[in-house]
């Protein structure tokens, strides 16, 4: 392929810069061995010096149906050993231009959801203080709220691309204001989101009232129900959404149950009639050009998919998120 002569050679840093981290290759170490990090990248105790950090939040205390997303980060990392550094489809070469590492897991409080929220906020405040963009391995969707709180302190209210079967705008769940079905109502109330710069894609299933999907519309969100996505490419949709979100910081939050359970059964609240993996790739790749400041992949519950396919999909989608971050080289 033709290369820009002004770019450094593949897998090398610009002159006078430290070498960039590289995933451990399958010809260096068998893929079933080596470090148990995301893509077998070097582990880091601090985000200092990193452009991007993969970080796990093994929390499922906010889950309303099937638990098990606490095991998501470990399963996603295990399946990520199959990934290679260069994106053959998009020509993205993220490890040629960004310093990327695995920051391990946030040490949440297994027995106290409210305490865990504070722990997560503090962890992301620290990551963001180093100008490191977090890519998060969930964990249930409750974790989006403390992450968005930290992002607001760094950037102000952000736009968001949210892929999910559910809008997650409940006012409460069993009287609790914070759970995996409430984060984006709290985010609106707290001014964490710029409502006119939010798109929710893949919403579907049964509900309790029309308000389940109408409330976010009233906040200015663009709501794209799954039925609008059936039998079509989502590339034109993403062109429209890029125009809607425009300039300014954007967060990408991807609940694995946005996909149809035929593709990703390992999740706590599956809904039929969902997106395909191809459409998921179109959505994430369609975010290229946005000022992405982070992303998450949540609700992988490995116990409900013993094949490992759901975690494998999650690992690939996180890699695709890495490939559309600002500053990625294309070869």
């Amino acid at each position: 392929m033709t290369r820009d002569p002004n770019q450094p050679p593949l897998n090398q840093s610009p002159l006078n810069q430290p070498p960039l981290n590289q995933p451990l290759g399958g010809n260096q170490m068998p893929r079933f061995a080596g470090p148990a990090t995301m893509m077998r990248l070097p582990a880091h105790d601090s985000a200092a010096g990193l452009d991007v950090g993969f970080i796990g939040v093994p929390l499922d205390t906010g889950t309303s149906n099937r638990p098990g997303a606490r095991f998501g980060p470990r399963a996603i990392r295990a399946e990520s050993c199959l990934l290679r550094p260069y994106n053959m489809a998009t020509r993205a070469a993220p490890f040629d231009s960004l310093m990327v590492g695995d920051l391990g897991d946030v040490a949440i409080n297994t027995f106290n959801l409210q305490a865990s929220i504070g722990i997560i906020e503090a962890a992301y405040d620290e990551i963001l203080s180093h100008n490191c963009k977090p890519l998060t391995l969930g964990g249930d969707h409750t974790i989006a709220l403390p992450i968005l709180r930290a992002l607001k302190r760094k950037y102000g209210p952000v736009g968001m691309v949210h892929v999910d079967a559910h809008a997650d705008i409940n006012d409460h769940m069993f009287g609790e204001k914070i759970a995996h079905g409430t984060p984006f109502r709290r985010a609106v109330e707290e001014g964490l989101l710029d409502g006119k710069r939010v798109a929710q894609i893949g919403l579907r299933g049964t509900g309790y009232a029309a308000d389940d999907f109408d409330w976010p519309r009233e906040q200015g969100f663009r709501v794209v129900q799954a039925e609008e996505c059936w039998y079509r490419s989502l590339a034109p949709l993403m062109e429209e959404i890029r125009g809607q979100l425009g300039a300014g910081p954007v967060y990408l939050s991807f609940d694995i149950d946005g996909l149809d359970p035929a593709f990703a059964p390992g999740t706590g609240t599956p809904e039929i009639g969902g997106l395909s993996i191809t459409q998921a790739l179109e959505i994430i790749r369609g975010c290229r050009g946005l000022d992405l400041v982070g992303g998450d992949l949540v609700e992988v519950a490995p116990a409900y998919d013993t094949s490992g396919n759901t975690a494998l999909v999650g690992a690939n989608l996180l890699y695709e998120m890495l490939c559309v971050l600002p500053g990625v080289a294309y070869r």
Side-chain angles (χ1 to χ4, degrees):
M1 59 187 158
T2 303
R3 296 189 57 252
D4 183 346
N6 296 316
Q7 292 283 359
L10 293 179
N11 299 329
Q12 292 187 24
S13 304
L15 192 63
N16 300 323
Q17 295 295 318
L20 297 175
N21 289 342
Q22 300 297 319
L24 181 61
N27 292 323
Q28 299 168 273
M29 172 71 71
R31 295 196 178 278
F32 49 80
T37 56
M38 185 68 181
M39 295 185 70
R40 305 194 301 176
L41 284 160
H44 289 254
D45 294 328
S46 167
L50 293 181
D51 297 307
V52 183
F54 288 105
I55 182 166
V57 184
L59 179 140
D60 62 7
T61 322
T63 303
S64 59
N65 188 36
R66 304 190 299 192
R70 68 181 62 185
F71 300 108
R74 181 167 292 187
I76 291 168
R77 286 187 174 105
E79 297 297 337
S80 75
C81 69
L82 291 169
L83 295 170
R84 301 171 185 86
Y86 180 69
N87 192 319
M88 301 297 295
T90 67
R91 294 183 175 266
F95 302 102
D96 291 352
S97 56
L98 300 176
M99 180 67 88
V100 187
D102 190 318
L103 290 165
D105 292 336
V106 177
I108 57 94
N109 184 324
T110 308
F111 307 105
N112 189 320
L113 181 57
Q114 292 291 342
S116 292
I117 296 298
I119 292 167
I120 296 166
E121 282 189 54
Y124 280 77
D125 282 337
E126 170 63 17
I127 292 168
L128 294 169
S129 74
H130 297 288
N131 296 316
C132 174
K133 291 182 170 64
L135 291 177
T136 301
L137 294 65
D140 74 49
H141 223 155
T142 312
I143 68 176
L145 177 61
I147 294 171
L148 288 170
R149 285 174 174 172
L151 287 171
K152 184 187 179 183
R153 287 190 283 272
K154 175 74 173 178
Y155 300 105
V158 298
M160 182 174 69
V161 175
H162 171 211
V163 184
D164 206 322
H166 314 97
D168 292 350
I169 52 78
N170 294 337
D171 188 32
H172 64 85
M173 302 185 79
F174 287 93
E176 296 296 326
K177 289 287 192 178
I178 294 180
H180 76 158
T182 70
F184 302 122
R185 184 173 289 248
R186 299 289 88 81
V188 168
E189 293 170 348
E190 296 178 21
L192 312 181
L193 294 173
D194 178 354
K196 294 181 180 179
R197 299 180 61 243
V198 175
Q200 296 185 302
I201 306 171
L203 306 192
R204 62 188 187 279
T206 53
Y208 292 102
D211 190 55
D212 290 354
F213 293 172
D214 287 346
W215 188 89
R217 290 186 175 104
E218 293 166 1
Q219 314 313 309
F221 294 12
R222 177 167 184 175
V223 173
V224 183
Q225 293 183 220
E227 291 81 2
E228 299 175 57
C229 303
W230 290 355
Y231 317 117
R232 59 175 289 200
S233 165
L234 299 189
L237 170 69
M238 292 310 298
E239 183 175 358
E240 295 174 10
I241 286 175
R242 286 195 304 274
Q244 173 195 347
L245 272 58
V250 176
Y251 187 68
L252 175 54
S253 189
F254 200 117
D255 187 326
I256 201 71
D257 72 26
L259 300 181
D260 190 88
F263 302 105
T267 191
T269 315
E271 304 280 1
I272 67 167
L275 304 176
S276 69
I277 291 175
T278 304
Q279 290 173 319
L281 293 173
E282 288 180 317
I283 291 169
I284 297 175
R285 292 174 182 176
C287 289
R288 181 182 174 187
L290 294 174
D291 183 15
L292 289 174
V293 294
D296 64 51
L297 191 290
V298 298
E299 300 283 1
V300 171
Y304 309 110
D305 182 4
T306 55
S307 72
N309 276 354
T310 305
L312 176 64
V313 172
N316 275 271
L317 296 184
L318 280 160
Y319 169 73
E320 292 286 341
M321 292 182 196
L322 172 65
C323 288
V324 295
L325 290 179
V328 168
Y330 288 82
R331 308 296 196 198

